[in-house]
Amino acid sequence: PRVMARHPGMRFVFAGSSQVSPLRDFSPRAFVGGGICTWGDMEAWLKKRLAPLGDSVQFRGHLDPERLSGLLGEADLCVFPSRYDNFPNACLEAMAAARPIVATRSGGMEEMLEVAQAGRLVEPDDQRDLARAICWMAEHPAERRVMALRAREQVLGAYSDGMVGPLYEELY
């Protein structure tokens, strides 16, 4: 909602299988029904919370590789607001597709992006900073494109089969 207030024409697409939501249901109805400790579906939770944004928010669910490639081709920006992610393939896929990235300083994403200056990093759970970073990307298309090209160079250089394969062989 913070981003949409500043950029009402922006569209958000959520991709991937739904997980459990990060918040427990502490409503009186859940308490009376004995479900206070159950966790709900994240997609359902987000749809309810983001309903006022209407068609600006879409949920695509799990995507096979072809549909994922198509979605990455349409994207102006990829956002990964993880609390912790050790070395996410989704981020590598976005980098390989030369997409600019906003991600949290959690796990491997910081390492993947910061070295090459290939995206904007924010602290996990900092919703205001996340919104500011997304808005910055929207408002700076030239810098966004430079970051996208750096991201692709980074993934092709540092994480290619030719680089990673010999390192694994040496390790074993």
Side-chain angles (χ1 to χ4, degrees), residues 1-164:
R2 287 183 177 105
V3 174
M4 296 299 293
R6 219 159 123 182
H7 297 279
M10 195 174 282
R11 183 175 62 129
F12 286 84
V13 177
F14 290 83
S17 301
S18 186
Q19 305 293 315
V20 291
S21 79
L23 301 176
R24 295 181 183 196
D25 184 359
F26 289 115
S27 68
R29 191 181 98 247
F31 183 77
V32 171
I36 195 164
C37 292
T38 61
W39 293 42
D41 175 67
M42 185 66 181
E43 183 175 327
W45 183 82
L46 282 169
K47 281 181 176 178
K48 182 177 177 182
R49 180 131 192 237
L50 301 176
L53 300 178
D55 292 339
S56 297
V57 178
Q58 298 177 5
F59 292 85
R60 302 265 179 101
H62 174 77
L63 299 176
D64 60 39
E66 185 176 309
R67 288 177 54 214
L68 175 61
S69 178
L71 180 60
L72 285 171
E74 297 171 16
D76 292 320
L77 171 67
C78 293
V79 181
F80 301 103
S82 300
R83 288 186 172 144
Y84 182 82
D85 229 326
N86 61 350
F87 200 78
N89 283 333
C91 188
L92 287 173
E93 290 165 340
M95 292 170 73
R99 298 297 125 202
I101 295 164
V102 171
T104 51
R105 292 184 181 282
S106 63
M109 286 189 290
E110 182 172 12
E111 178 183 330
M112 293 158 61
L113 297 169
E114 194 165 56
V115 171
Q117 297 178 356
R120 299 287 297 227
L121 292 163
V122 302
E123 293 302 318
D125 291 324
D126 189 337
Q127 296 174 14
R128 291 184 198 284
D129 200 26
L130 181 66
R132 278 191 294 268
I134 294 169
C135 289
W136 186 93
M137 286 285 202
E139 295 159 5
H140 296 87
E143 291 91 337
R144 186 175 71 227
R145 185 68 189 141
V146 169
M147 286 182 181
L149 294 174
R150 285 185 195 142
R152 182 162 171 77
E153 289 173 13
Q154 173 73 357
V155 81
L156 293 178
Y159 305 116
S160 68
D161 291 344
M163 290 296 293
V164 175

